[in-house]
Each structure stands twice: as C-alpha cells, then as structure tokens.
Amino acid sequence: MTPNDQTSVYSDTAYDSRKPRSMPPEPEHKDGFLMRRARGQRITLPAGAHCKEHASMGYMPSDVKGSIQIEQYEQENRGGHRMVTWPDLLEWPVLQRSLQYVIAWFTFAGGLFSAIFIGIFTGLSNGIYLFTYFFLPLFLIWVILRYINKGEPKLKKDTRFYRRTGMVSLYLGKDQPRQEIPFDEFDPYMSFRTGPTGSSSFVLQLAHRYSETLIGHPNQFDHVHGVYLAWEELQQFMDVSQPLPDTVYNERFRPFDPVTVEFDRETNRKPDHWRRFDNRTYLDYCVVASDAAKDYPWGKT
C-alpha cells in the first residue's frame, strides 16, 4: 500500500497523532456543580494506545463467522474499517436487542430449567404444565425477536466516530442535520455511577473542549481499567497512523483499511487470528487479557 493509496482513502481532516493540529487554547470552564458532576474526572493518560488488551472486551468468535457484504458497508459508510458507533440506549432498535437478551434469560435459565426442576421433584405433570404455558410462549417471543434483530441495527440517534474523516457525528434532534466535530477536540473524562442496589461502575465520557457538548460511552465498566481500555481503543481506531484495534469484530474489516493492511503484511498477521478460536479458548484468553489490563502500569509508560 503506497502513500498515494492511503491519501485517496483518508481525508485531510483524518486524525493523525503524528501531525497534531494547531488549535486554540482550551477556554477556562466555569461549570456549575451539575456539569462537573456529569463530566467526572479528567483522564490524564498519555495519548495513544499503550496497553492494547482490547481482547478482554467485545465480541465472541462465534459472533463474526462467515463473510461480510463489504459493498453494502461501503455504500452506507459504515463497518469496522470506517465507523464506530455509540448508540443511544433508549432508541428502539437498542431496546429491542436488550429485550431479546432479557427474554432469553427468562426462557432458558428460568422457563426451561424450572420446568425440568419442577418435573423431577414435584411431578411430571407440573413440569409439562410449566413447559407448555411458560417456556414455550417465552421461547416463541425470543425466536421472533431474534429474527427481527438479525443484522446490525439501523440507528439514528447514535454518536458516530468516522476513522477516514476524523470526525465525530452527533445527533441534534429530529429534522435537524447531524453536527460533525473533529475528534481531537474532545477530552476524555471518567464518571462514577452508583446503581439502585449500591453497585458501582465507571463510564467513559467525552467532553468537547470548546462547547458544553458531552457524550457518554454506552457501556458501564466495573473497573477503572475498562474505561482506560475503551478510551485507548477509540483513540487507536480514529488514528490513521495506527492499524485498526486488533479485536474480534474488526478482524473481518482489516483487509479494507490501507494502514491496517500494511501493518498486517509487515507483521505477518493471520487473517483469521481470532476467528479460528473456539469460544471457550477465547474466553480463557480474555481472562488473561483482563488480568493484564488490570495490572498494567496505567499512566506510567
């Protein structure tokens, strides 16, 4: 892949950590208590990806089997080589998928297991009754939701990070054009959340340096290093001087990103490095990766 090939793919606005832009100084924020609370604590890690234990989070190998219709991804300007999206958790396609997972839990862990347990210990007729009137209806709902949710959801209110242009696209409201802001104008923050049961979690937030725009990662992390990994992964994805983050999901898209193609050629990376793993082996690897991220000397490299 020649420099000219890369120039034809990445726009002049693409984020390149080797070529920092000259930007105005950060204005002095006079935020109130609520805004400071919403932003959380500024993340002061060195720029770029250092730990790179991205395998400890994300998809399973079985989730990405088979080929992809790259033409459709290119036409819609999406895919793991072009865009990362942070969905709005209240948008209907996201709620549908969440409902599918909840129904799956009640169907198999609740309905099927309960029917078997009751049938063994209280009588076969009771087990058949639970199987017929509890498990089967839930199973039918789960099958319908699984069919509806096939493929990737079509989102409108999500936040989109475009690698090839270096832009972050924000949803502003119905019938309004999306706003695009350069990625390097955002600063990372980490906020602390407490759940209704007293459990605690951490959330990655991005605050626009020159406005009050604040966007949050859709996931909540149990540990601080989860936030750090998410921030590293996003930086590496947006940085066109670096290959795509080496994750299960991105693997099928690596052949379509010029910088990544060159990196994989130089390092002799196998095209199916992750997908040849079975789920059990991959989960074992994820445990090791998570422990490595936990013990990593964050901020000291």
Side-chain angles (χ1 to χ4, degrees):
M1 188 68 62
T2 66
N4 288 336
D5 293 330
Q6 295 182 15
T7 302
S8 65
V9 170
Y10 308 115
S11 71
D12 294 338
T13 59
Y15 171 62
D16 187 334
S17 61
R18 301 168 303 180
K19 305 173 183 177
R21 292 192 302 143
S22 176
M23 293 187 290
E26 182 176 356
E28 181 180 352
H29 293 288
K30 297 182 179 180
D31 301 323
F33 172 79
L34 292 179
M35 177 57 74
R36 292 197 303 270
R37 183 80 174 177
R39 283 186 175 181
Q41 178 183 356
R42 180 79 169 262
I43 295 176
T44 57
L45 295 175
H50 301 275
C51 178
K52 298 185 179 181
E53 293 291 354
H54 308 310
S56 63
M57 51 201 299
Y59 287 72
M60 300 287 288
S62 61
D63 295 331
V64 293
K65 296 294 185 182
S67 59
I68 56 175
Q69 300 294 328
I70 192 61
E71 295 81 7
Q72 182 177 356
Y73 284 103
E74 294 286 355
Q75 183 179 358
E76 298 176 359
N77 193 27
R78 61 188 181 91
H81 61 309
R82 284 179 171 266
M83 181 183 72
V84 163
T85 181
W86 287 5
D88 181 341
L89 298 181
L90 297 180
E91 193 169 2
W92 178 239
V94 180
L95 289 175
Q96 277 186 174
R97 287 177 178 260
S98 300
L99 181 61
Q100 175 188 332
Y101 299 137
V102 172
I103 292 294
W105 189 91
F106 278 104
T107 300
F108 298 103
L112 184 59
F113 177 79
S114 297
I116 295 174
F117 182 86
I118 295 297
I120 293 175
F121 291 99
T122 68
L124 182 60
S125 60
N126 292 332
I128 293 175
Y129 181 87
L130 276 177
F131 182 86
T132 304
Y133 295 102
F134 187 72
F135 169 75
L136 286 181
L138 286 176
F139 180 74
L140 179 61
I141 295 173
W142 175 76
V143 169
I144 293 173
L145 287 173
R146 184 176 173 84
Y147 177 78
I148 293 174
N149 293 331
K150 286 179 62 177
E152 296 190 19
K154 304 293 185 181
L155 303 176
K156 295 181 180 179
K157 301 179 181 180
D158 56 328
T159 299
R160 302 167 186 173
F161 299 84
Y162 289 109
R163 174 175 171 87
R164 295 188 174 185
T165 64
M167 292 293 177
V168 181
S169 176
L170 306 174
Y171 176 80
L172 298 182
K174 187 177 180 181
D175 299 327
Q176 295 189 50
R178 297 181 69 93
Q179 180 185 17
E180 290 200 340
I181 300 175
F183 174 72
D184 56 5
E185 293 184 7
F186 284 91
D187 298 310
Y189 287 78
M190 177 173 58
S191 62
F192 178 81
R193 304 283 173 85
T194 302
T197 61
S199 60
S200 59
S201 59
F202 303 90
V203 179
L204 172 63
Q205 308 258 61
L206 297 185
H208 185 228
R209 194 173 305 136
Y210 307 111
S211 71
E212 295 185 355
T213 298
L214 184 68
I215 52 180
H217 196 285
N219 295 336
Q220 297 186 14
F221 301 93
D222 295 331
H223 305 284
V224 171
H225 68 264
V227 174
Y228 293 164
L229 279 174
W231 172 233
E232 274 202 352
E233 183 177 354
L234 182 61
Q235 286 183 90
Q236 184 174 343
F237 174 81
M238 293 297 289
D239 188 353
V240 295
S241 71
Q242 299 292 321
L244 291 171
D246 200 347
T247 65
V248 171
Y249 177 76
N250 285 342
E251 188 166 71
R252 295 179 299 170
F253 296 98
R254 294 180 75 87
F256 307 105
D257 182 76
V259 169
T260 306
V261 169
E262 185 68 16
F263 175 85
D264 289 352
R265 184 187 63 80
E266 293 176 353
T267 58
N268 198 29
R269 184 191 184 279
K270 295 183 182 298
D272 61 345
H273 173 77
W274 293 120
R275 286 170 292 170
R276 59 198 174 107
F277 281 66
D278 60 79
N279 284 354
R280 172 57 60 184
T281 304
Y282 180 72
L283 282 173
D284 292 340
Y285 182 88
C286 286
V287 172
V288 175
S290 181
D291 289 341
K294 181 180 179 181
D295 297 334
Y296 187 77
W298 294 98
K300 299 179 181 179
T301 57

